[in-house]
């Protein structure tokens, strides 16, 4: 039996190439999930909110080992993106940062990487991981 590891990568990124179309974020998320070796159970499911002050996309996907979600606000410049990768399976955070940088041209990235097995222990990511 596989022992769950409960890792949670939380990213806040300010981006120059901020996505505005649902098909773009859905394709991006499918590729990310494949790249990190996860399996989709349901989704990606996305919606665009056109409410002034809150315009942007949300996309969520249920994976075998938990979920991945992304929220994007495109009214601000640079755009704002919040990404959660939560899984009970192993993955390489370096792949997530590389895909984010290659796709959305971030000007600022902040993150937390948590081990949620027994508490909310923060893990350290080295500079090589961030690319």
């Amino acid at each position: 039996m596989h022992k769950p590891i409960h890792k949670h990568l939380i990213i806040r990124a300010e981006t120059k190439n901020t996505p505005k179309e649902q098909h773009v974020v859905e394709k991006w998320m499918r590729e990310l999930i494949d790249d990190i070796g996860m399996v989709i159970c349901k989704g990606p499911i996305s919606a665009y909110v056109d409410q002034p002050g809150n315009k942007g996309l949300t996309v969520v996907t249920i994976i075998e080992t938990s979920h991945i979600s992304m929220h994007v606000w495109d009214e601000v410049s640079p755009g704002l993106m919040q990404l959660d990768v939560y899984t009970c399976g192993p993955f390489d955070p370096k792949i997530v940062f590389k895909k984010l940088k290659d796709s959305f041209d971030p000007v600022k990235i902040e993150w937390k990487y948590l081990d949620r097995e027994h508490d909310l222990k923060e893990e350290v990511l080295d500079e090589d991981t961030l690319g």
Side-chain angles (χ1 to χ4, degrees), residues 107-124:
V107 295
K108 181 180 179 182
I109 298 177
E110 298 173 289
W111 73 93
K112 298 284 184 192
Y113 188 46
L114 304 173
D115 181 341
R116 294 176 54 168
E117 180 71 21
H118 300 289
D119 52 24
L120 294 176
K121 178 183 169 202
E122 193 166 341
E123 301 269 318
V124 176

Side-chain angles (χ1 to χ4, degrees), residues 2-115:
H2 174 268
K3 182 184 183 304
I5 59 173
H6 300 283
K7 298 293 184 177
H8 192 170
L9 178 61
I10 304 165
I11 297 174
R12 180 191 185 278
E14 296 176 11
T15 59
K16 289 194 280 186
N17 185 26
T18 307
K20 296 183 179 185
E21 289 109 14
Q22 289 176 252
H23 73 277
V24 170
V25 293
E26 289 178 11
K27 179 179 184 288
W28 185 88
M29 188 165 285
R30 275 192 298 276
E31 291 172 356
L32 174 67
I33 291 166
D34 186 55
D35 290 350
I36 62 174
M38 299 295 160
V39 176
I40 294 174
C41 292
K42 189 76 166 179
I45 301 165
S46 69
Y48 187 88
V49 173
D50 197 22
Q51 179 184 28
N54 196 36
K55 287 185 180 182
L57 291 162
T58 294
V59 58
V60 296
T61 303
I62 300 168
I63 57 176
E64 278 185 341
T65 54
S66 196
H67 72 277
I68 299 177
S69 64
M70 180 170 53
H71 307 281
V72 179
W73 292 267
D74 60 32
E75 282 182 295
V76 293
S77 182
L80 176 61
M81 178 179 293
Q82 305 271 5
L83 177 66
D84 274 23
V85 178
Y86 181 41
T87 178
C88 301
F91 76 102
D92 183 353
K94 182 184 287 188
I95 296 168
V96 178
F97 285 103
K98 180 171 179 5
K99 185 147 187 74
L100 180 73
K101 287 177 178 181
D102 289 350
S103 302
F104 303 121
D105 197 13
V107 295
K108 181 180 179 182
I109 298 177
E110 298 173 289
W111 73 93
K112 298 284 184 192
Y113 188 46
L114 304 173
D115 181 341

